[in-house]
Structure formats: structure tokens, C-alpha cells
Amino acid sequence: MASDEPKAKKPKLSASEDEKRESPTKKSPAKLSANSLFGMGNPLLDISAVVDKDFLDKYSLKPNDQILAEDKHKALFDELVKKFKVEYHAGGATQNSIKIAQWMIQEPHNVGTFFGCIGKDKFGEILKQKAKETHVDAHYYEQDEEPTGTCAACITGDNRSLVANLAAANCYKKEKHLDLEENWKLVEKARVYYIAGFFLTVSVESILKVAKHASENNKLFCMNLSAPFICQFFKDSLMQVMPYIDVLFGNETEATAFAKEQDFETEDIQEIAKKAQALPKVNKKRQRIVVFTQGKDDTVMGSSDKIETFPVLKIDPKDIVDTNGAGDAFVGGFLSGLVQEKPLDQCVKAAHYSANVIIRRAGCTFPEKPDFK
């Protein structure tokens, strides 16, 4: 994308991306086909309901929090469904980003492909149905040792207490799914790949197989730092994949944690972006792009040899309903631009738009159509 290569006869994405940076008006966005965008991660069925304080107290939940389910929370999911009026959505960070990208693109359907692991159960069936409704081509590895992963959103007033039970999402197996010929063909069809850092805790070997394929074929491989604990406790896995990353996403907290672990000796987000760009890279035809969001402050992007900042869209604080899906939505908007070979500043614009829409709603949900030009 920011490659030094002249208009090489490479896969179309690389050449035209370069040309577009010089002259954005030269061509219309790339013609999209099904399975152009590939995502792999932890699929979770989001189950949200307005609950009461007694329910929070019963399960020792804070009104506003994000936790992983412990044994004491196991009964929470069934009780939530039985006792309250629930809404179901296809969730999990990567799946959220792919469905937002698909929503931004609209037509054709199934531009986005998604791989992940679910259980053979009722929640798995609902998740498949919900993915279908968002026009994402989801291919799940289904196993019966663990139930489908769920994320309960317990809403009280403006607060949301999130309890995630990864369960089946932890059970993805490269040899049982990714390596199968019909699945690998879908990987090969893609031009842009995205995997959230959370998946580093599940299957590094699957990530590396996809990342190496992208690198060898000069396609775009994107990843997200996802959380400070990924930068800290899964540092070795992250750094195994880093040489293949063409576009790195993160927020300011994750960027700072990453910088600390990498001994960058700075907390300046622009400096961190520069240093992350300079980390070793396998595919030399593309210089790494680094994109860091900072909540309501400017988004920082390092591309080519420059660092740019982009102001986010203004929003009245009273219009903010839920910021949880903002990061996933930002990435989804950005990916929708990348896969259409739009210039990078347009990708950021799409990212800011998506995030702005999602924070006005509960959960990672969206209106029927985007109003984005």
C-alpha cells in the first residue's frame, strides 16, 4: 500500500493502492467480489438485556465492567435468557469488525468471510443465523466438547456489565478447519486479512499460516493489539506475527503498553507509531501502516515516512450510549475502505464514521444502511 514499488504487475491491490495515493481521482473503488475480506477470531453470541441491581449483586458484577466468566458466573447466561427480555447479536471483536465492514460495503453480500469455533448447541445455531443476517460468510468449526462462546451484556441505565465466556472460541484447531481444502480456498480468495490480537491466545499457528500466505502473495495482513494484556502476556506470540503485519491497529492504552514491553522508552503516541512501523518486516514491498485511536482525541497514522493525525467526528457526550464497540467499528470502517482500495485518508474517514454510528447505540449494532459518502 505504501510500497516503494513502481506500478508493478502484482496482485491488483498493491499496484492500484499505490497509484491511488498519488492520484485518488484516477479510478473508482475496486470491484468487489465475495470473500475479498477475511477475518478469523473468537466468535461470541452477544446476549444483552436490561437487568436489575439484584441480578448484578447476585453475580458480584459491577455496573460498568468487562470480565471473563468464572465458575460463579456459569448459571448467569441461562438465568439472563429465562428471566429477562434478551437480544442476540453475532459478536466477538474480529467478527464485529467484519460485519461492520460488510455493513459499510452493503453490496455485494458476503464480501467478508469469518472463521472461528462454536459449539453444536442452541446458541451456536442462533449465532449462525445472526451472522447470516449481517451478510457475512461465516464458516465455523463446530465441536461438541465446549459450548458456544457467549458475552452477556447486563444493562442497568446507561451502564453495561460485560461477562464473556470464551468456551468454544478457545477450541479452534488449524488442522481441523483452516487446513481443510474447501476452507483454505476461501482464505486464498481474500485480498485483505484481519485478525484481532485476542486470537493470539487461541491459535498462533493458524494466524501464522494466514499471515505468511498474505505476505508471500503481497496481500494485506492487518492485526489489532486488542488489549494491554495481549501486549504483556502474549508478547512472544505477538512478536512472532509482527513481521507479517502490514496494518497494525490499537488504541492509546494498548499502544502505551506495547511501547513499554518493547522498551521504546516513550509514551508519545506518534513516536510509538513511528517505532512500531520500523519493526522488522518480511514483505519489503509494503511499508507497515500503524493506526492508533485515542478516544475523542485525534487518530494517529504512520504511513510511508510520515505521521499524520486525523480529528474524530464531534459528538455531544449525551448522545453517547455505549463505547464498547467503538474500536471494532473503527477497524471495520477502515477495512471497508482498504478492501475497496481507497486512499488511506478515506479509510480513516470511513473508520471514524463507523465508530461514530456505533457509540450512539447499545452494543455493536447499526441502522439498516450507512449514510456515508
Side-chain angles (χ1 to χ4, degrees):
M1 227 172 52
S3 88
D4 303 324
E5 202 180 23
K7 317 293 175 269
K9 290 183 175 51
K10 284 281 160 199
K12 187 159 173 284
L13 190 70
S14 51
S16 67
E17 193 62 64
D18 250 357
E19 290 161 15
K20 296 279 292 280
R21 281 198 64 93
E22 313 305 318
S23 164
T25 53
K26 202 189 260 183
K27 320 183 162 175
S28 58
K31 185 91 180 77
L32 283 175
S33 53
N35 311 110
S36 300
L37 173 64
F38 175 85
M40 179 167 62
N42 299 334
L44 301 176
L45 179 67
D46 285 344
I47 309 171
S48 60
V50 174
V51 303
D52 49 35
K53 188 176 180 303
D54 290 347
F55 186 80
L56 295 184
D57 292 344
K58 179 177 179 180
Y59 291 103
S60 318
L61 301 177
K62 293 176 190 157
N64 229 348
D65 206 8
Q66 286 177 277
I67 62 164
L68 285 176
E70 297 168 39
D71 283 344
K72 66 180 178 185
H73 300 115
K74 289 288 188 275
L76 175 152
F77 298 90
D78 282 335
E79 186 176 341
L80 192 66
V81 173
K82 287 195 183 94
K83 213 166 158 186
F84 302 98
K85 188 176 180 298
V86 298
E87 273 189 25
Y88 295 111
H89 296 284
T94 305
Q95 191 164 232
N96 278 342
S97 294
I98 300 297
K99 75 179 188 184
I100 295 271
Q102 180 66 56
W103 170 70
M104 286 287 283
I105 290 163
Q106 289 284 308
E107 300 279 344
H109 292 167
N110 297 333
V111 168
T113 314
F114 178 76
F115 284 8
C117 182
I118 62 173
K120 294 178 179 172
D121 51 24
K122 184 184 76 166
F123 284 163
E125 290 306 312
I126 297 172
L127 187 48
K128 286 194 276 190
Q129 182 54 38
K130 291 294 168 187
K132 199 181 254 168
E133 285 170 15
T134 59
H135 308 301
V136 168
D137 192 16
H139 292 256
Y140 299 116
Y141 166 47
E142 298 180 45
Q143 49 72 61
D144 46 21
E145 282 168 37
E146 285 282 343
T148 296
T150 44
C151 181
C154 309
I155 304 164
T156 49
D158 290 342
N159 295 315
R160 281 164 70 80
S161 194
L162 300 182
V163 186
N165 180 26
L166 295 181
N170 269 326
C171 303
Y172 190 82
K173 299 275 186 294
K174 172 178 167 286
E175 64 284 359
K176 296 268 180 72
H177 194 259
L178 187 67
D179 291 346
L180 303 185
E181 189 184 357
E182 67 271 25
N183 291 334
W184 187 249
K185 276 188 174 145
L186 291 169
V187 176
E188 291 178 324
K189 277 177 84 174
R191 309 183 294 191
V192 177
Y193 302 84
Y194 174 67
I195 301 174
F198 292 123
F199 201 59
L200 288 164
T201 71
V202 175
S203 183
V204 181
E205 57 282 7
S206 296
I207 299 174
L208 284 169
K209 182 172 182 177
V210 171
K212 286 174 180 173
H213 167 79
S215 183
E216 284 159 13
N217 293 278
N218 196 28
K219 299 175 181 179
L220 276 165
F221 182 77
C222 316
M223 200 153 186
N224 202 319
L225 294 175
S226 290
F229 82 86
I230 298 290
C231 306
Q232 293 156 348
F233 306 118
F234 294 87
K235 176 165 68 173
D236 292 348
S237 301
L238 176 61
M239 295 321 284
Q240 254 184 290
V241 181
M242 189 60 70
Y244 301 99
I245 299 176
D246 295 302
V247 185
L248 179 68
F249 297 102
N251 65 25
E252 75 278 35
T253 321
E254 295 148 11
T256 310
F258 179 69
K260 194 174 175 206
E261 290 300 322
Q262 299 300 318
D263 298 321
F264 283 175
E265 295 180 343
T266 179
E267 288 192 358
D268 180 280
I269 302 298
Q270 296 194 26
E271 276 304 306
I272 297 170
K274 227 182 256 181
K275 287 179 185 278
Q277 264 194 295
L279 290 167
K281 193 163 182 309
V282 173
N283 180 7
K284 302 280 193 281
K285 292 171 186 156
R286 298 179 181 280
Q287 194 172 350
R288 184 177 293 117
I289 295 155
V290 178
V291 188
F292 290 144
T293 58
Q294 305 186 85
K296 64 183 188 321
D297 296 327
D298 289 6
T299 293
V300 171
M301 180 168 70
S303 68
S304 313
D305 294 318
K306 60 179 186 291
I307 301 284
E308 297 171 272
T309 59
F310 300 85
V312 303
L313 294 168
K314 294 271 184 288
I315 183 167
D316 188 320
K318 72 173 190 297
D319 291 332
I320 299 175
V321 174
D322 180 5
T323 58
N324 276 310
D328 298 340
F330 177 93
V331 171
F334 200 100
L335 294 172
S336 74
L338 273 187
V339 79
Q340 293 178 84
E341 303 180 20
K342 291 186 176 177
L344 289 174
D345 60 340
Q346 292 297 308
C347 295
V348 175
K349 196 177 165 193
H352 282 163
Y353 170 80
S354 301
N356 186 273
V357 169
I358 265 63
I359 60 178
R360 296 168 188 270
R361 304 166 68 93
C364 196
T365 62
F366 35 79
E368 192 187 343
K369 291 202 162 137
D371 176 24
F372 178 72
K373 298 288 178 281

